[in-house]
Amino acid sequence: MKRFRILLARLFSAPRSWWRATTQRQRLEAEMEAELASHLENLTADLERAGFSPKEARRRAHIALGSAVVHKDAMRSSLGLRFFDDIASDLRYSARRLRRSIGFTAVATVSLALAIGANTTIFSLAKQLLYERLAVSHAEELRLLSWTGTRNHVAVHHIWGDYSPFPGGRVGSTSFSYPAYLHLRAHNGVMQDLFAFKETGMNATIAGNAQQAQVELVSGNYYGELGVRPALGRVINASDDAEPGRSPVAVISYGLWERAFGRSQAVIGQVIKLNEVSLTIVGVNPKGFTGAKNTLQSPDLFVPMSMQPLVSPHGEDGSLLTDPIEWWVNVMGRVKPGTSDATALATLDGQLGAVVKATMPVRPIEDLPKLDLRDGSRGLFYQQRTFAKPMAVLLTMVGFVLLLACANIANLMLARSTQRQREMSVRLALGAGRIRIARQMLVESLMLAALGGLGGMALGYLGSELIPKLVDNAWERNQFQKIHFDWKVFAFTAGVTILTGILFGLAPAFAAARTKVSSDLKETSKSMSRRRKGWGGRSLVGFQIALSTLLVIGAGLFLRTLASLNAVDVGFRTDHLLLAEVSLPHKEYPDGKDIAFHKRLVEGFAGTPGVEAVSPTWVAYIADDMSRTDFVPDGEAYDKTKDYGEDYNVVGDSFFSMMQIPILAGRPFGPQDTPTSAKVGIINARLAKERFGSQNPIGKRFAMDYHDSDGKGVKAANEWIQIVGVCADTRYANLRDEPPPQFFLAFSQQPSVGGSLNYAIRTRMNPDTVVPSLRRVLQQQDPDVPLINVRTQEQQIDAATKQELVFVTLTSGFGMLALALASVGIYGVMAYSVANRTNEIGIRLALGAQPRQVLAMVLREATWISLAGVVVGLGAALILARLVKSMLYGLEPADPVSLIAGAVLLIAVGLAASWLPARRAASVEPVEALRHE
């Protein structure tokens, strides 16, 4: 025990001594000075007693004691201070060196700042999109319930929510029926509890302003399970969700509290309207809470699930709370401690199969949905499908930019270290160790990296402020209102800074440590060895050119993709075309009444000054929206296993003339098409070709929804729709897909709208100038119904190419940065080569070489370096381009225009960067050159 106490005391005494010496350095130095003086005085006194004179005794005492500097150094080493003193000395020396070479320092710092700033910006974006978790307690414990089934054979047919295809002919969704959720919760023995939520858009009247609001319907245990406490008031609890329609309350988001109520404490108790239903505000969510659906943006309002039949009625009786057929709610929970995910999954899967069998019709050819448990820490995580691959591409590209910058600085530092070989040789000759020399070079690199890191941090912050502006739409609330620039981003930037400093500092440090004292002290040996040693710099330049080629070709591919998308003929006139949306609450506007409202609205819009034509349309084109249903021609035998689905749209009488879509055969819709007349339809040319071949489709009939998904029968004879026209093909949901087969129905013959309705409005003037008048027309009809998603068709098309535009902007920036770094690298190596070969060039000129021959020699060397780098870069670009093939449009990964243009551009940049050093070499005076050494 005594030995243990002694060992423990020694273990803690060393750090204590180091801390005392570090924090009380002046006192330590004074004590060492006093102790050495005391030793010297005592030793001198001893020698005087031995018979020496005072002067001789002091001389001998100094000799016997030794150097005071050595003793102090030993004392500092014993306390662990020597290393830190050396580092401080290295830092001071490095600062002097960098300040002396201000041009090199500026170039290196700017290069690193741009590269690190680009990495910081893209990392902060990727972190927010793909790595942020919900702002709730222990988000990593959340599990999201989902299911999968066989495509076209799963028992679930009616889904209001996500529906995704998977490999192997499977499909899946995160939506469940409310009765299924209640059954799973009631028979749950493996989860702490299950809570439900559903986010959707609704009309809201807040502080007297009609607007569109995002609303999350939540179960009574939602806040309790997430562990969220309000910033003000209270949250929704179990009593609010006990009975349908009994608790008209709402909790608002922190953002809405700021925007609409100025963070007033009096917000509690105020009344708002949601789809004409009055709700009382009872609480405000905490700042940063975005709900359970995603991590990007919070819904405006949170309402008890029991209010669904009133605020968002669906189905025959308006209530989805008792409907087992419609699958629409999302379900989350936490697994009980001690229970594995596999055990919970097996139990819940059995319960899901039981409730489906008990509450839904399941045909023999159908299979039951198979439950799955996903990570719920990021909500439904829809952004993974959209952004995972693009972010991987961007992170790879900025990584290459950083590598390029490191190679560039390493090259410049290698050139400087070669010029400093005599200095290193002298330091080695005076006793400095090789590790000490290497550490000095590495400290200098890290200091340079720190300067670049500080600049990169500032540029990264500016970039994170710029990105939201690149993806902003004029008519939608930006989901990237602010990219979080938090400690994780700081940590990433610090890590990248240190890594870059080590990367570009290792080669110069290694080269400095290998300095040979004997040869490098001889001045005449330099000219014999420098050319051989220059191959390291040339190799790095070739590597830079290869990376630059890869980045430039990548930017070229995305640039040509954007150009191809912008050149797409959509098949209709897009200028002076305004798009808007009107959503009527079903409670106030049931079937029939909604049609009458929209017909009055069409007349009001058409009479607005500046409006040329108006047409309602169920689907706005190029908006990633679609409607699809069965199209079964009369006389064709129905096959249950065949997919008869086709895209369709419901449009007004003036739609084709307003959009300038040619009618190739037959007629457009007209005033003769009324609710009581025979049902008519128009098909496009592609549908006519695929379904009717060489036959004339005019006069033929078809049925839609011929056989519903529950297998409950076929259409009656009076529901056949007669084809009266054939129109030209147009793009439908997006620009990438070819014009699909499509048919049109007359809006005037529809019994109801069933939700939101889009309006296409052709104007004689700037579309933006008529928007206030259109809003007034709508307000006259109903002041609580807002005109939403107002934009022009051209803005809609621009939004469809927004991701490509952002990619082109970023990758073009990376490509230009790569070109700049490559040109600096080529210039630096060639200028250094010419300076070191001044003696050789002088001899060549003295022996009769012409200046143009010297010029050609230098340019030829730069050309070979560039060609070698371009060849390697082309090979890498061909490989990586195949990985992003799905992101390209209108061209193949081996696009010759992009490849050739990238190669020619890099060779041209290489020659341009070498021109000045080559001219300098050609203008060398032989006499002066021969005196160079």
Side-chain angles (χ1 to χ4, degrees):
M1 181 60 75
K2 185 176 181 181
R3 288 183 178 180
F4 177 75
R5 283 200 301 269
I6 294 173
L7 182 63
L8 200 63
R10 289 178 178 176
L11 186 65
F12 284 103
S13 65
R16 190 165 55 248
S17 299
W18 176 86
W19 177 253
R20 187 184 300 114
T22 303
T23 57
Q24 302 177 17
R25 188 61 182 269
Q26 291 183 348
R27 178 180 176 183
L28 174 67
E29 295 293 333
E31 288 178 350
M32 286 193 297
E33 197 70 46
E35 185 174 353
L36 285 172
S38 176
H39 279 296
L40 183 63
E41 185 178 343
N42 292 336
L43 190 55
T44 302
D46 290 342
L47 290 172
E48 286 180 357
R49 284 193 292 272
F52 292 97
S53 66
K55 184 177 180 180
E56 181 64 18
R58 191 166 187 81
R59 187 183 71 82
R60 289 176 176 265
H62 272 293
I63 295 173
L65 185 62
S67 172
V69 174
V70 172
H71 286 296
K72 289 181 181 179
D73 201 43
M75 176 66 74
R76 296 188 192 102
S77 297
S78 67
L79 293 172
L81 299 177
R82 174 68 181 275
F83 175 78
F84 295 97
D85 288 345
D86 288 347
I87 292 295
S89 175
D90 289 343
L91 287 172
R92 289 190 295 270
Y93 182 76
S94 299
R96 289 196 301 271
R97 290 287 310 181
L98 294 177
R99 190 167 61 247
R100 191 178 307 160
S101 306
I102 192 66
F104 163 79
T105 304
V107 170
T109 301
V110 170
S111 301
L112 287 173
L114 290 172
I116 294 174
N119 276 267
T120 301
T121 299
I122 300 304
F123 171 77
S124 62
L125 179 61
K127 179 182 74 70
Q128 184 144 336
L129 282 174
L130 303 177
Y131 305 116
E132 281 291 10
R133 288 178 168 172
L134 297 175
V136 301
S137 176
H138 300 292
E140 71 282 356
E141 298 176 358
L142 289 173
R143 295 295 178 268
L144 173 69
L145 273 62
S146 63
W147 57 266
T148 59
T150 306
R151 186 195 302 269
N152 298 327
H153 291 286
V154 66
V156 181
H157 307 295
H158 301 272
I159 300 172
W160 175 24
D162 65 300
Y163 182 76
S164 306
F166 292 109
R170 306 283 291 178
V171 293
S173 177
T174 59
S175 299
F176 293 81
S177 70
Y178 198 72
Y181 157 68
L182 293 178
H183 179 88
L184 291 173
R185 187 184 180 200
H187 296 82
N188 165 45
V190 290
M191 308 289 286
Q192 296 179 31
D193 201 357
L194 294 173
F195 62 90
F197 60 96
K198 174 65 179 181
E199 185 175 328
T200 185
M202 299 184 193
N203 290 339
T205 304
I206 302 171
N209 297 317
Q211 57 190 271
Q212 182 80 352
Q214 286 300 115
V215 181
E216 193 159 292
L217 297 166
V218 302
S219 58
N221 61 341
Y222 174 89
Y223 282 96
E225 288 302 307
L226 288 176
V228 175
R229 296 182 177 181
L232 187 68
R234 69 173 180 87
V235 296
I236 293 169
N237 52 45
S239 63
D240 295 319
D241 195 35
E243 296 182 41
R246 292 293 298 273
S247 296
V249 298
V251 175
I252 65 174
S253 69
Y254 195 94
L256 181 62
W257 185 38
E258 284 185 319
R259 293 193 308 271
F261 300 99
R263 298 180 61 189
S264 170
Q265 302 287 318
V267 68
I268 304 300
Q270 292 196 31
V271 176
I272 60 174
K273 283 186 179 181
L274 202 59
N275 277 347
E276 302 292 342
V277 177
S278 296
L279 302 174
T280 302
I281 298 174
V282 296
V284 178
N285 280 330
K287 189 175 184 179
F289 177 63
T290 57
K293 182 182 177 182
N294 65 62
T295 60
L296 300 177
Q297 191 177 67
S298 172
D300 300 301
L301 299 161
F302 294 75
V303 177
M305 190 73 71
S306 61
M307 293 297 295
Q308 178 272 319
L310 296 180
V311 299
S312 185
H314 283 72
E316 295 180 1
D317 62 355
S319 177
L320 295 175
L321 302 180
T322 56
D323 186 356
I325 304 300
E326 189 78 22
W327 287 45
W328 61 288
V329 297
N330 305 116
V331 182
M332 269 190 188
R334 302 177 193 266
V335 178
K336 286 184 176 179
T339 303
S340 67
D341 283 5
T343 302
L345 176 60
T347 302
L348 291 171
D349 185 45
Q351 292 296 332
L352 180 63
V355 71
V356 170
K357 289 179 181 178
T359 60
M360 296 174 59
V362 181
R363 288 183 281 176
I365 62 171
E366 294 178 334
D367 58 357
L368 298 176
K370 184 174 179 58
L371 195 93
D372 191 16
L373 279 182
R374 300 185 193 173
D375 174 24
S377 64
R378 296 176 178 87
L380 303 188
F381 205 25
Y382 291 153
Q383 64 265 32
Q384 183 182 35
R385 293 195 296 268
T386 306
F387 296 110
K389 191 168 186 177
M391 290 312 305
V393 173
L394 287 177
L395 286 170
T396 301
M397 294 189 78
V398 293
F400 285 153
V401 170
L402 183 63
L403 200 57
L404 185 60
C406 289
N408 198 31
I409 308 305
N411 211 354
L412 294 175
M413 291 196 71
L414 274 174
R416 294 180 78 236
S417 67
T418 305
Q419 293 175 345
R420 295 171 61 185
Q421 282 182 351
R422 280 183 58 81
E423 172 198 338
M424 301 303 169
S425 298
V426 171
R427 295 177 67 179
L428 286 169
L430 293 176
R434 295 186 182 275
I435 294 179
R436 182 73 173 80
I437 296 292
R439 190 178 69 194
Q440 167 62 55
M441 297 297 292
L442 200 57
V443 166
E444 188 172 327
S445 301
L446 288 171
M447 177 172 283
L448 198 59
L451 294 174
L454 290 174
M457 181 71 73
L459 291 176
Y461 180 78
L462 293 176
S464 66
E465 294 289 314
L466 178 63
I467 290 291
K469 293 180 175 61
L470 290 177
V471 299
D472 191 23
N473 282 333
W475 68 94
E476 293 178 322
R477 187 147 54 103
N478 191 354
Q479 61 181 348
F480 299 114
Q481 290 181 350
K482 186 172 179 60
I483 295 180
H484 301 149
F485 209 76
D486 55 16
W487 69 268
K488 295 177 183 176
V489 178
F490 281 94
F492 171 82
T493 306
V496 167
T497 299
I498 295 171
L499 179 63
T500 53
I502 293 174
L503 276 177
F504 69 72
L506 281 177
F510 185 67
R514 293 180 60 197
T515 300
K516 296 179 181 179
V517 179
S518 57
S519 62
D520 287 328
L521 285 175
K522 298 175 182 178
E523 184 73 24
T524 57
S525 68
K526 289 193 291 183
S527 61
M528 299 171 59
S529 60
R530 280 176 181 167
R531 189 171 183 181
R532 174 178 56 82
K533 292 179 180 179
W535 280 109
R538 292 181 178 87
S539 300
L540 281 175
V541 170
F543 176 67
Q544 287 178 262
I545 293 174
L547 283 180
S548 301
T549 304
L550 176 61
L551 292 170
V552 169
I553 290 175
L557 289 172
F558 290 120
L559 181 61
R560 280 180 46 77
T561 292
L562 180 62
S564 298
L565 288 171
N566 287 332
V568 166
D569 180 10
V570 294
F572 56 89
R573 181 183 165 193
T574 61
D575 65 291
H576 289 82
L577 185 63
L578 191 70
L579 301 177
E581 186 179 343
V582 175
S583 179
L584 298 178
H586 187 73
K587 177 185 175 183
E588 297 295 323
Y589 297 94
D591 294 351
K593 191 175 180 181
D594 58 348
I595 284 287
F597 179 92
H598 283 295
K599 286 181 178 178
R600 295 195 304 271
L601 196 56
V602 168
E603 294 175 359
F605 283 167
T608 302
V611 172
E612 184 177 304
V614 179
S615 174
T617 171
W618 280 15
V619 176
Y621 283 166
I622 324 297
D624 277 329
D625 192 12
M626 63 176 293
S627 289
R628 189 175 177 87
T629 189
D630 287 344
F631 180 92
V632 184
D634 188 12
E636 183 174 332
Y638 184 79
D639 183 356
K640 292 183 179 180
T641 63
K642 184 178 177 181
D643 181 15
Y644 289 90
E646 300 290 0
D647 296 333
Y648 78 103
N649 203 354
V650 177
V651 299
D653 295 348
S654 61
F655 178 79
F656 293 98
S657 60
M658 181 186 69
M659 302 291 283
Q660 295 188 6
I661 300 174
I663 298 294
L664 306 179
R667 67 172 179 85
F669 296 131
Q672 67 271 36
D673 302 317
T674 66
T676 58
S677 64
K679 299 291 188 289
V680 296
I682 295 173
I683 63 175
N684 70 351
R686 183 171 177 183
L687 183 59
K689 181 179 180 181
E690 291 189 3
R691 291 301 187 93
F692 299 99
S694 59
Q695 301 179 39
N696 182 7
I698 303 299
K700 294 189 179 298
R701 300 188 307 171
F702 68 92
M704 54 183 289
D705 292 334
Y706 187 84
H707 189 291
D708 73 20
S709 56
D710 296 321
K712 292 181 180 178
V714 298
K715 293 289 182 182
N718 62 357
E719 294 185 66
W720 290 105
I721 301 170
Q722 185 178 28
I723 299 173
V724 297
V726 178
C727 70
D729 296 334
T730 64
R731 302 284 167 149
Y732 187 68
N734 56 61
L735 294 174
R736 288 179 174 266
D737 296 335
E738 291 298 317
Q742 184 184 171
F743 67 95
F744 301 84
L745 303 177
F747 175 77
S748 59
Q749 295 184 324
Q750 302 308 306
S752 67
V753 173
S756 298
L757 183 65
N758 291 288
Y759 282 86
I761 304 168
R762 177 73 63 191
T763 65
R764 301 185 185 91
M765 57 186 71
N766 185 340
D768 292 335
T769 60
V770 303
V771 173
S773 299
L774 297 176
R775 292 191 189 277
R776 282 194 294 271
V777 170
L778 179 56
Q779 293 297 301
Q780 290 170 3
Q781 297 286 339
D782 190 331
D784 290 324
V785 176
L787 190 68
I788 58 177
N789 293 335
V790 180
R791 73 277 192 200
T792 65
Q793 183 68 66
E794 291 172 337
Q795 287 174 330
Q796 181 63 68
I797 293 174
D798 290 341
T801 59
K802 185 70 72 174
Q803 180 170 306
E804 286 78 9
L805 178 61
V806 172
F807 249 73
V808 167
T809 302
L810 294 176
T811 55
S812 298
F814 300 154
M816 288 189 289
L817 178 57
L819 287 175
L821 292 173
S823 62
V824 170
I826 294 171
Y827 174 82
V829 164
M830 298 313 299
Y832 172 70
S833 174
V834 168
N836 281 343
R837 295 171 63 186
T838 302
N839 185 264
E840 172 198 338
I841 292 170
I843 293 174
R844 287 176 181 270
L845 292 170
L847 293 177
Q850 297 297 313
R852 65 175 182 274
Q853 292 176 309
V854 174
L855 179 71
M857 177 186 71
V858 177
L859 292 178
R860 187 165 53 246
E861 182 179 343
T863 302
W864 279 114
I865 296 174
S866 299
L867 282 174
V870 165
V871 169
V872 175
L874 284 173
L878 285 172
I879 295 172
L880 293 179
R882 296 183 182 278
L883 300 179
V884 297
K885 184 177 180 180
S886 62
M887 299 173 64
L888 305 178
Y889 176 80
L891 64 157
E892 293 297 319
D895 177 48
V897 175
S898 300
L899 295 177
I900 294 173
V904 171
L905 181 60
L906 262 298
I907 293 173
V909 167
L911 290 174
S914 304
W915 180 256
L916 284 178
R919 289 285 298 171
R920 191 177 298 129
S923 62
V924 167
E925 291 291 337
V927 176
E928 295 296 328
L930 291 174
R931 294 175 180 170
H932 182 70
E933 293 288 350

